[in-house]
Every structure is written in C-alpha cells, then in structure tokens.
Amino acid sequence: MLDMVMYGLMILIVICIILIWYVNVYNKFQEYIIRINEVESNIDTILRKRFDLLNKSIGIIKSSNEELNDKDVLKEINELRSKKLSNFELDRLLYKSINEFHLYKDTIPELKNNESFMKIDLGINESEIEITALRKYYNDIITEYNKSVKVFPNMIVSKICHYKNKPYFDGKDMTDNIVNDFKL
C-alpha cells in the first residue's frame, strides 16, 4: 500500500515538473510574440511615416518640373493607397519609391532649393536610420524565436501551439535583387 502511494506521489511530482516546464516555455514564447508585435507596430509607424513623406513630395516634384505634370511621379505611392500589404511588402515598395525620389532630387536642381522638399528628404533619411535599427532589433528577436521553435525540448511546445519559424525582415526586393528601373 505504501508503495502505491509513493508511486502515485512520484507520478504526481513528474507531472507537476512537466507542467511547470511547459508553462515556462509557453510563457517564453509569449514574451517573444509580444516583443515581435511591438517591433512590428513600430516598423509599421515608420513605414506609414515614409509613405506620407513620399506622398507629400509628389506635388512638389510635379510643380518643380512642368514636363512631369502628365507623368506618374512615384507611381508606386499612388498604387499603394488602395492596397493592403504586409510590412515586408510595403518596405520593399517604399524603397523603390525612395530610389525614384532620390533620382528626381539628383536630376531636378530646383528641388534642392525647395525647403519643403528638403524637409521631406531629411525626414526620409531619418526614417532610414530608424527603420534600420528596428529591422536589426526585429531580426534579433526573430533569431531567438526561431531557435526556440526548433530546439528540443522547446519544439514540443512549439508543435503543440503551432508556432512556426518567422521570416527575417531583410529589406530586400521581392526577388532579392535591387533593380533601379526608373526613368525620367
């Protein structure tokens, strides 16, 4: 009888240890998810700021060069207004528009004398610094999260909770080639 009680107590202790371990690992995953969501929100804010800056620059660019009034200036920005995109896709498309923005800045001398345009340029440059720092922080968190998803015994919890590897925020073009295909 005493053996049965000891055996039952040992099983209860093992179950408690497994439960404590599971809760601990689960909470660690929740911490990663919260941090990932926070940085994604910050990235989203910076990307929206970049979009707004580029959107404001369209009128300035067109007004500085009469030949551009009939052309689509920063075409991607106009197309982005109606699309629902992930931060990854938005970042890639905004980079194309930023490259086009810089091309206009380099080829239209009047823009360098326009105070509003130069403020937009400064804002875009500042946002580049912010997005670079956020991208690094995001990728650091994703590295830790992805390791936890793959390593034993954490992978048991990740399988039970359906946690999967998350992609890195690389800032590259969709094809991983940066192509500058803009012409004035």
Side-chain angles (χ1 to χ4, degrees):
M1 181 77 137
L2 189 58
D3 288 341
M4 287 294 264
V5 171
M6 290 298 284
Y7 181 69
L9 189 57
M10 288 181 69
I11 290 176
L12 185 61
I13 290 172
V14 169
I15 289 173
C16 287
I17 289 172
I18 291 172
L19 187 60
I20 290 169
W21 167 81
Y22 179 87
V23 168
N24 188 27
V25 172
Y26 177 82
N27 285 339
K28 190 66 176 171
F29 275 114
Q30 294 306 307
E31 288 176 25
Y32 286 133
I33 291 169
I34 289 168
R35 289 173 55 203
I36 290 167
N37 288 339
E38 284 176 5
V39 76
E40 283 177 344
S41 175
N42 291 336
I43 288 170
D44 185 58
T45 300
I46 298 301
L47 292 176
R48 299 297 167 205
K49 177 183 170 185
R50 293 178 117 185
F51 174 82
D52 291 341
L53 288 168
L54 289 167
N55 197 27
K56 288 178 187 177
S57 74
I58 293 172
I60 297 169
I61 292 169
K62 283 186 173 186
S63 68
S64 68
N65 190 325
E66 291 179 18
E67 295 173 13
L68 296 174
N69 282 333
D70 297 332
K71 289 187 176 183
D72 267 346
V73 173
L74 300 177
K75 181 180 173 185
E76 277 79 16
I77 295 299
N78 289 321
E79 292 174 0
L80 288 176
R81 292 178 184 150
S82 62
K83 291 182 180 177
K84 183 169 174 50
L85 302 169
S86 72
N87 282 345
F88 298 114
E89 294 167 316
L90 180 60
D91 184 55
R92 288 175 176 125
L93 292 173
L94 286 176
Y95 266 110
K96 285 183 179 182
S97 294
I98 289 170
N99 286 338
E100 184 179 358
F101 173 88
H102 288 298
L103 184 62
Y104 286 121
K105 181 177 107 178
D106 294 340
T107 58
I108 303 172
E110 295 84 22
L111 290 175
K112 291 181 182 175
N113 297 327
N114 187 312
E115 185 178 332
S116 297
F117 185 84
M118 294 313 291
K119 283 182 182 178
I120 291 171
D121 186 40
L122 181 64
I124 289 172
N125 291 336
E126 288 173 355
S127 72
E128 178 62 29
I129 294 167
E130 292 171 345
I131 200 81
T132 300
L134 287 171
R135 187 182 296 123
K136 181 179 180 344
Y137 179 63
Y138 177 86
N139 287 340
D140 290 346
I141 296 169
I142 292 299
T143 298
E144 294 302 314
Y145 172 84
N146 287 345
K147 283 180 189 175
S148 291
V149 168
K150 291 291 184 185
V151 299
F152 183 82
N154 293 4
M155 70 186 307
I156 296 168
V157 176
S158 70
K159 296 270 188 209
I160 292 170
C161 296
H162 305 288
Y163 297 141
K164 299 191 184 322
N165 272 352
K166 293 188 177 276
Y168 290 96
F169 197 154
D170 60 9
K172 294 181 181 175
D173 191 358
M174 297 288 227
T175 60
D176 289 337
N177 293 321
I178 296 176
V179 178
N180 189 356
D181 55 354
F182 299 109
K183 295 180 178 103
L184 292 179

